[in-house]
Each structure stands twice: as structure tokens, then as C-alpha cells.
């Protein structure tokens, strides 16, 4: 990795991988099994990304006493069928392959449980591209809900990269907040689950429409970093 190559920390669902109904379908199935109301599709889509226990409580209005059982049932459905439904977004494999060939370090920071995140990446044959795969605690129960949030997860991935600065790439406001709390810029991707305007309002430095545009934006950050380093070196020689 060259001195001016900016490492990249990716979110997972909605950024690298399209859950294609695997997450929302699993949540719906778990709720139906417990005879709980299933929210509309827009609400279900908004549950992709944040901590599941938070979403069940505050978006699906699941009683607190049933949150843990709902999570257990969801995880069973997701492992059995959800992972197989997911697919990489267009151009993602090629982008990661290009970064690997050019020596750019990449990591994953997701609020999905870390072991499941690895399973998803392995399913799509991209796990080996990443220097670090960081996620939430495997115990998603309500009692564990105070465990690592996005800020801490991004921080852990950044520490694994041994590099500052890096850039975050994500599809929800939590990704932007996690990046900013760690002193990083965040590039938003328009193909994920954020409502219109969410990423811009959260403070994303750019919102891109395609993987090719994402590559260009990251390489622009390389150029900015190179110029800044050159200026510092020149000032130091005076």
C-alpha cells in the first residue's frame, strides 16, 4: 500500500450486499410465527442496517418480552434461506478485486453479528479481500444491546487497518455517524436503503450512484491526501 492510498471501510448490507428480501423476509417470518403484526415494506426496509433489537422495539413495536425470541427465530430463517437470497451489488466484486490488485486495504464494519457477516462474505466469495471484518456481538439479545454500536465497530476496523485517515462507505446515516465519530469522511451509496436525502443530511461527503463512481471518488481522495502530504513535506523543508 502506497503512502497516499486511502484504506476503505465498507458497511455490508445495502452497501456491498443486496439482502434481496433475505433480511426483511426473515423478520416478517419471525413476527408471523409469534402472531405479531408485520410492518409495511417501507418500515421493514428501514430495519436493514440498525441494530435489530432497536428496530424490533422502536420500528416494529415488538413487546420487550418477545424481542429475544423474535431475534432467535429471525436468525434461524436468515441462516437457512436469507443468506442464499442475497446478492452482490453490480460492480462490487470487480471493485474489490481492483483494490486488492492495487494494494488498497479494505475492511468491513457492520452492525450484523460478526460471525454472520463473515458467513455472508464467504458465501459471496469476497471474504479474503478484507484485512478486517468487524461486526456486532454474536449475541443480539436485548440484554446485549448496549454492546458495540456503529461508532465502536468502525473504530475497531480502523484500528485493524493501522491507518489514519481512511474513508467509510455506507448506505445509512448510522454509517456516516460512525465514520464522523472516528474522524473519517463517509461516502454514501445511493443503491442502499436510505430514504432520499438521508445521507446528505447526515453529512456524507458525497453520494455515488455506481461502483465505478465510487472508485473515482475514492481515487480523488487519494489525490487530495497526496497533495496535503506534499504540502506538509514542502513546508517542512523550508
Amino acid at each position: 500500500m502506497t503512502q497516499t492510498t486511502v484504506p476503505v471501510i465498507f458497511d455490508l448490507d445495502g452497501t456491498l450486499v443486496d439482502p434481496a428480501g433475505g433480511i426483511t423476509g426473515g423478520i416478517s417470518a419471525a413476527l408471523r410465527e409469534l402472531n405479531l403484526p408485520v410492518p409495511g415494506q417501507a418500515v421493514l426496509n428501514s430495519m436493514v442496517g440498525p441494530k435489530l433489537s432497536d428496530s424490533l422495539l422502536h420500528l416494529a413495536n415488538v413487546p420487550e418480552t418477545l424481542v429475544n425470541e423474535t431475534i432467535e427465530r429471525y436468525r434461524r430463517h436468515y441462516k437457512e434461506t436469507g443468506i442464499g437470497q442475497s446478492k452482490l451489488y453490480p460492480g462490487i466484486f470487480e471493485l474489490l478485486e481492483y483494490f486488492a490488485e492495487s494494494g488498497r486495504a479494505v475492511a468491513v464494519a457492520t452492525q450484523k453479528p460478526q460471525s454472520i457477516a463473515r458467513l455472508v462474505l464467504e458465501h459471496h466469495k469476497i471474504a479474503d479481500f478484507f484485512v478486517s471484518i468487524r461486526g456486532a456481538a454474536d449475541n443480539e439479545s436485548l440484554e446485549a444491546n448496549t454492546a458495540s454500536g456503529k461508532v465502536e465497530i468502525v473504530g475497531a476496523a480502523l484500528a485493524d487497518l493501522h491507518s489514519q485517515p481512511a474513508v467509510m462507505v455506507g448506505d445509512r446515516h448510522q454509517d456516516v455517524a460512525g465514520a464522523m465519530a472516528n474522524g473519517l469522511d463517509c461516502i454514501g451509496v445511493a443503491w442502499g436503503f436510505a430514504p432520499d436525502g438521508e445521507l446528505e443530511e447526515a453529512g456524507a461527503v458525497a453520494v455515488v450512484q455506481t461502483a465505478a463512481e465510487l472508485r473515482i471518488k475514492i481515487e480523488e481522495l487519494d489525490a487530495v491526501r497526496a497533495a496535503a502530504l506534499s504540502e506538509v513535506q514542502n513546508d517542512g523543508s523550508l
Side-chain angles (χ1 to χ4, degrees):
M1 184 172 65
T2 63
Q3 188 178 20
T4 56
T5 301
V6 180
V8 184
I9 302 173
F10 289 94
D11 175 49
L12 180 54
D13 293 315
T15 301
L16 295 172
V17 172
D18 178 0
I23 293 176
T24 56
I27 293 171
S28 298
L31 293 172
R32 284 194 296 269
E33 287 179 3
L34 293 170
N35 295 315
L36 294 170
V38 177
Q41 192 61 46
V43 174
L44 288 170
N45 287 344
S46 71
M47 296 173 72
V48 179
K51 287 184 177 180
L52 182 56
S53 53
D54 280 351
S55 293
L56 291 172
L57 276 173
H58 304 301
L59 297 178
N61 299 314
V62 173
E64 186 171 325
T65 55
L66 291 176
V67 167
N68 291 350
E69 187 173 356
T70 305
I71 289 172
E72 289 175 5
R73 290 171 183 255
Y74 158 75
R75 288 186 71 171
R76 186 180 70 248
H77 284 287
Y78 184 74
K79 288 180 178 180
E80 290 175 352
T81 61
I83 292 176
Q85 290 179 261
S86 66
K87 56 188 178 181
L88 292 178
Y89 284 106
I92 289 298
F93 186 90
E94 293 78 9
L95 179 67
L96 294 172
E97 190 173 49
Y98 173 76
F99 284 166
E101 291 171 352
S102 59
R104 187 186 303 275
V106 293
V108 167
T110 174
Q111 290 193 110
K112 184 184 289 298
Q114 189 163 301
S115 64
I116 297 180
R118 181 171 289 278
L119 285 176
V120 172
L121 297 170
E122 289 173 348
H123 173 79
H124 291 290
K125 298 179 171 52
I126 59 173
D128 289 344
F129 286 128
F130 297 99
V131 173
S132 170
I133 300 169
R134 290 287 186 165
D138 285 343
N139 179 6
E140 292 180 278
S141 70
L142 189 60
E143 292 79 6
N145 198 36
T146 56
S148 297
K150 196 74 180 194
V151 172
E152 292 80 11
I153 294 168
V154 172
L158 183 61
D160 290 341
L161 289 168
H162 304 295
S163 180
Q164 179 76 19
V167 62
M168 180 76 193
V169 177
D171 74 307
R172 295 302 309 274
H173 67 87
Q174 291 94 346
D175 302 314
V176 183
M180 294 175 67
N182 283 282
L184 307 182
D185 289 332
C186 184
I187 299 172
V189 298
W191 55 78
F193 290 89
D196 290 344
E198 177 183 286
L199 291 163
E200 294 87 347
E201 184 177 346
V205 296
V207 178
V208 298
Q209 303 293 323
T210 66
E213 189 179 341
L214 176 58
R215 172 181 161 180
I216 291 170
K217 181 57 63 175
I218 290 170
E219 290 177 343
E220 287 176 358
L221 292 177
D222 285 344
V224 169
R225 185 179 183 187
L229 286 172
S230 177
E231 184 175 341
V232 169
Q233 290 167 355
N234 289 338
D235 286 347
S237 65
L238 294 177

